[in-house]
């Protein structure tokens, strides 16, 4: 119905190494909460298996992989985890400590610095009120609870406020590159 929309999915019930077999060419993005990066080891067995599965599937979309992510083992060295992750995914994705909980700015800055030029996404706790602090570091925001009226319904005014904050920060050349921006009505 909307062929020009970019479509991404988050598969909470499938292991990252198995999800690629289920993706069609219509899906442009995949987000997994745990990309299998372990900063304590040099060999990334899980992440290697995910890369092999992706290559075998032929899927060419953007892979957003969760690193130092909510509800997982506490990462001891977020810089190292981010650095390692940059070799395995298109967009390294991190979060705060829980759903709707903002990530520490220090963590985001450390990860972004270790990743450069690989993009960094934040997937929890982003709101119109705090997004400005993340704009120098993050390239993507996967947002729901920070702009929602309920678990299922986005708040149009909060969504528009977040979009305005991001657009106010982006240089005009980046906005031109993105094409026509969608700004919901208040």
């Amino acid at each position: 119905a909307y062929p020009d929309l970019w479509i991404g999915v988050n598969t909470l019930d499938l292991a990252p190494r198995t999800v690629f077999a289920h993706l069609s060419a219509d899906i442009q993005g995949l987000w997994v909460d745990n990309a299998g990066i372990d900063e304590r080891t040099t060999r990334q067995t899980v992440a290697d298996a995910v890369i092999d599965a992706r290559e075998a599937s032929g899927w060419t979309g953007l892979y957003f992989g969760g690193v130092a992510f909510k509800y997982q083992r506490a990462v001891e060295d977020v810089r190292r985890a981010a650095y390692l992750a940059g070799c395995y995914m298109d967009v390294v994705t991190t979060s705060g400590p829980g759903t709707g909980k903002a990530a520490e700015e220090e963590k985001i800055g450390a990860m972004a610095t270790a990743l450069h030029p690989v993009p960094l996404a934040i997937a929890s706790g982003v709101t119109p009120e705090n997004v400005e602090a993340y704009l120098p570091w993050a390239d993507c925001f996967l947002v729901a609870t920070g702009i929602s009226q309920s678990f299922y319904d986005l708040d149009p005014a909060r969504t528009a406020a977040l979009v305005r904050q991001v657009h106010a920060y982006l240089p005009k050349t980046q906005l031109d590159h993105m094409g026509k921006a969608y700004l919901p009505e208040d």
Side-chain angles (χ1 to χ4, degrees):
Y2 302 99
D4 294 335
L5 288 182
W6 190 93
I7 305 221
V9 296
N10 182 342
T11 57
L12 298 174
D13 60 341
L14 297 173
R17 70 182 179 283
T18 63
V19 73
F20 294 100
H22 301 279
L23 297 177
S24 72
D26 297 333
I27 303 298
Q28 292 94 10
L30 167 67
W31 164 23
V32 300
D33 288 0
N34 188 345
I37 299 297
D38 187 341
E39 82 287 359
R40 302 168 299 180
T41 65
T42 53
R43 184 165 166 88
Q44 301 298 311
T45 309
V46 174
D48 285 333
V50 172
I51 291 298
D52 291 344
R54 180 183 184 178
E55 289 175 2
S57 76
W59 182 74
T60 60
L62 289 177
Y63 172 40
F64 291 70
V67 177
F69 211 80
K70 60 188 174 184
Y71 311 125
Q72 296 173 16
R73 172 187 65 80
V75 170
E76 297 167 13
D77 184 346
V78 294
R79 287 180 205 274
R80 178 165 166 72
Y83 176 77
L84 291 168
C87 299
Y88 289 95
M89 58 208 71
D90 302 309
V91 183
V92 174
T93 306
T94 196
S95 71
T99 300
K101 307 276 186 197
E104 293 179 8
E105 292 174 39
E106 181 178 311
K107 171 187 172 181
I108 299 304
M111 290 182 76
T113 301
L115 275 170
H116 187 75
V118 175
L120 176 65
I122 304 173
S124 74
V126 177
T127 68
E129 294 79 23
N130 70 9
V131 71
E132 187 174 5
Y134 299 125
L135 287 169
W137 305 109
D139 301 284
C140 304
F141 301 105
L142 307 174
V143 185
T145 55
I147 55 172
S148 295
Q149 295 172 339
S150 70
F151 189 73
Y152 299 101
D153 301 305
L154 294 179
D155 180 318
R158 289 188 62 73
T159 302
L162 181 68
V163 170
R164 277 193 297 276
Q165 287 281 89
V166 172
H167 283 195
Y169 180 81
L170 290 174
K172 183 176 178 351
T173 55
Q174 281 183 280
L175 287 174
D176 291 343
H177 176 70
M178 291 168 54
K180 184 177 180 190
Y182 170 72
L183 186 61
E185 296 296 322
D186 284 275

